[in-house]
């Protein structure tokens, strides 16, 4: 089940990966792996806020899973701001 979502994301079809993951989620909103995979696909799309939201849902369901590290990485990326890098 998860392998197809990963394959779609890595093949450059993150929108299809998200659609499949949401379909699989259905009424089971506590599947940490599906939320994590949605977050990865959202990252691929450049939808950082949606990715963080998905990672937070995954963390809520599984605090020791990989979503915490992914969210922290995104937080670090988004917090980085260096005006000196502009106009070079």
């Amino acid at each position: 089940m998860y392998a197809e979502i990963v394959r779609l994301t890595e093949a450059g079809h993150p929108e299809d990966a998200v659609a499949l993951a949401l379909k699989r989620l259905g009424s089971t909103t506590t599947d940490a792996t599906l939320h994590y995979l949605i977050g990865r696909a959202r990252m691929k799309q450049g939808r950082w806020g949606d990715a963080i939201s998905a990672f937070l849902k995954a963390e809520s369901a599984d605090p020791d899973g990989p979503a915490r590290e992914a969210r922290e990485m995104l937080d670090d990326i988004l917090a980085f701001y260096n005006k000196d890098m502009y106009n070079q």
Side-chain angles (χ1 to χ4, degrees):
M1 163 168 78
Y2 303 126
E4 180 64 12
I5 297 166
V6 171
R7 188 192 67 73
L8 286 168
T9 300
E10 291 175 356
H13 303 288
E15 62 283 342
D16 295 332
V18 169
L20 181 58
L22 290 173
K23 182 179 175 184
R24 298 255 169 98
L25 264 177
S27 61
T28 309
T29 58
T30 58
D31 187 324
T33 303
L34 285 175
H35 286 294
Y36 171 72
L37 294 175
I38 290 170
R40 286 186 49 193
R42 294 295 192 204
M43 282 178 57
K44 192 89 155 172
Q45 292 175 305
R47 295 177 60 177
W48 312 118
D50 292 335
I52 289 172
S53 178
F55 291 145
L56 286 170
K57 288 177 184 176
E59 263 185 272
S60 174
D62 180 11
D64 297 324
R68 181 183 53 78
E69 185 176 338
R71 181 193 47 80
E72 288 173 351
M73 178 192 67
L74 264 183
D75 286 343
D76 289 344
I77 291 169
L78 295 175
F80 178 76
Y81 181 75
N82 186 349
K83 287 184 183 180
D84 296 334
M85 293 302 291
Y86 292 106
N87 301 320
Q88 287 191 14

